[in-house]
Amino acid sequence: MPLGLNTTIRTIRNFLFSKTNREFLLFLFFLLVAGLFWLMMTLNETFEKEVKFYVRYVHVPQNVVLTSGDIDSVRINVKDKGFSLLSYIHSADNQPIDIDFTKYAGNNGTGSVSVIDLQRFFEHRLPASAKIISIKTEKLVFYYNHGEQKKVPVRWRGHVVPDPHYFLSKTVITPDSATLFSSRDKLDSIDFVYTEELNYADFHDTLSIQSQLHSVSGVKMVPQKVSIQFLTDILTEETIDSIPVVGINMPEGKMLRTFPARVSVKIVTGMKNYRTLNANDFYVVADYKQFSDSKSAKCPIMLKRIPEGISKATLEVKQVDYLIEEHP
């Protein structure tokens, strides 16, 4: 054996079995024994604990869709010794209680399991030493239908604000719609679904998140989660020139000429968006119905169409001189 290894082993042996270290190791041993003894005494005492049990619906016909989900849960308060509590708290997470759909389903798309039946299910699962103190529901309710569905758009909700120097130029939701399964009455009352509440602020790069859809009682949603991208751009204030003024609601045989014939609009938008804009993206009109009875030499004009992605759009002039020409 190499001399260096012998020296190392001898140093470790001398350290561990020196008088001081022997006393310390002996102290740790008795501390461990005392800890184990205390733990066994504690777990042998009786505790009251809230336990969540999962329930699973079985014998569901093939033409039936459970709109409240295939697995539900019930919370109960149980009193038992600590050892027993630890054992079935763990098993409750892995072994759901099976509930026969055909026995508890009603005729109106709703089924329910009474608290008495629930207690019987739990008593069969729990050891004889356990005592059920309370079940935290009056009854377990589940919903189903026979395939009625509806596809609706997904909308996000919340407070999403980028850095003050940036602009929220576009939001992309993938997928942008969800298929709902529920009763016909409930489906007819839903035109879109929301995401969970989103709260983000002071970001300047593209924000990509996963969001659950906000659940609705008795409605199954597919998918239950969507991806959302909030695209940002640097804010800029610019001017778009040479936008033609168009007369609308003009009587037959009459033509409107304005002076100037083209106007400018100030906008606040993202830099990337601004580079794609031109005068044809805007629609400025002078409505004959608004000035036909006026004695003024000027007519009002207004923006009728503004491209997407613009937060502010203001005409540099609100009125222009005009002339009405007769055309046979």
Side-chain angles (χ1 to χ4, degrees):
M1 185 177 292
L3 180 61
L5 183 59
N6 282 334
T7 303
T8 302
I9 293 175
R10 186 165 56 253
T11 301
I12 294 174
R13 185 174 62 247
N14 292 338
F15 173 77
L16 291 177
F17 293 100
S18 64
K19 181 178 180 181
T20 302
N21 286 322
R22 280 202 307 271
E23 293 176 354
F24 177 68
L25 291 173
L26 190 62
F27 168 77
L28 288 180
F29 173 75
F30 282 109
L31 181 63
L32 178 62
V33 171
L36 291 173
F37 180 74
W38 172 85
L39 180 61
M40 293 178 65
M41 292 292 292
T42 299
L43 291 177
N44 199 44
E45 295 179 1
T46 301
F47 297 90
E48 183 176 326
K49 176 72 175 177
E50 181 181 279
V51 182
K52 181 170 73 172
F53 280 89
Y54 288 99
V55 295
R56 177 176 56 196
Y57 303 102
V58 297
H59 303 146
V60 181
Q62 289 187 349
N63 66 333
V64 168
V65 177
L66 284 169
T67 58
S68 54
D70 299 334
I71 295 181
D72 215 329
S73 62
V74 177
R75 295 181 181 273
I76 66 174
N77 280 342
V78 183
K79 182 180 286 188
D80 202 352
K81 292 186 180 297
F83 284 111
S84 297
L85 279 172
L86 284 176
S87 64
Y88 57 76
I89 284 175
H90 178 70
S91 65
D93 292 335
N94 299 319
Q95 299 178 5
I97 294 172
D98 291 339
I99 293 181
D100 190 342
F101 173 87
T102 58
K103 181 177 179 180
Y104 295 99
N107 296 321
N108 58 351
T110 304
S112 63
V113 185
S114 69
V115 69
I116 295 175
D117 285 346
L118 287 174
Q119 182 163 346
R120 188 175 69 251
F121 286 130
F122 295 138
E123 286 174 346
H124 288 163
R125 172 63 61 81
L126 297 173
S129 60
K131 180 180 180 181
I132 298 175
I133 304 301
S134 64
I135 299 177
K136 296 195 169 184
T137 181
E138 294 183 358
K139 60 181 177 180
L140 177 65
V141 179
F142 60 91
Y143 302 91
Y144 66 93
N145 73 3
H146 291 86
E148 293 91 345
Q149 59 181 276
K150 181 180 181 180
K151 196 171 186 178
V152 298
V154 175
R155 297 183 179 178
W156 70 273
R157 64 174 181 174
H159 188 71
V160 179
V161 181
D163 182 278
H165 296 96
Y166 284 77
F167 174 70
L168 198 60
S169 60
K170 191 175 182 181
T171 302
V172 180
I173 301 177
T174 308
D176 60 1
S177 58
T179 301
L180 311 184
F181 298 87
S182 188
S183 65
R184 178 49 54 189
D185 290 343
K186 187 161 286 188
L187 289 177
D188 290 341
S189 68
I190 301 175
D191 295 321
F192 46 81
V193 292
Y194 284 111
T195 65
E196 62 187 358
E197 192 83 13
L198 305 177
N199 292 289
Y200 297 91
D202 297 330
F203 60 94
H204 51 80
D205 292 326
T206 296
L207 176 64
S208 300
I209 59 174
Q210 298 281 324
S211 174
Q212 294 284 347
L213 296 182
H214 180 68
S215 62
V216 179
S217 178
V219 178
K220 181 178 182 179
M221 301 181 186
V222 179
Q224 297 179 329
K225 181 186 291 187
V226 295
S227 300
I228 307 177
Q229 282 189 314
F230 294 98
L231 281 66
T232 59
D233 199 354
I234 299 175
L235 274 177
T236 182
E237 185 173 355
E238 302 290 346
T239 300
I240 305 293
D241 298 316
S242 298
I243 303 171
V245 179
V246 179
I248 61 173
N249 296 318
M250 297 298 296
E252 187 175 353
K254 294 182 181 291
M255 178 179 291
L256 177 70
R257 292 189 182 278
T258 63
F259 307 94
R262 296 176 178 270
V263 294
S264 300
V265 60
K266 289 184 177 180
I267 61 170
V268 176
T269 186
M271 181 61 72
K272 295 177 184 176
N273 190 44
Y274 168 68
R275 293 183 182 130
T276 67
L277 297 176
N278 59 58
N280 294 329
D281 295 321
F282 299 82
Y283 188 47
V284 177
V285 301
D287 190 344
Y288 181 78
K289 292 181 178 180
Q290 292 186 353
F291 62 86
S292 58
D293 297 329
S294 173
K295 303 297 183 182
S296 173
K298 294 181 180 292
C299 67
I301 60 174
M302 68 184 78
L303 267 170
K304 270 292 195 178
R305 185 179 67 226
I306 303 171
E308 185 180 354
I310 293 177
S311 61
K312 294 179 182 179
T314 307
L315 286 167
E316 289 193 335
V317 294
K318 303 292 185 180
Q319 293 182 322
V320 292
D321 295 321
Y322 71 96
L323 176 65
I324 295 178
E325 296 182 347
E326 299 284 346
H327 281 263

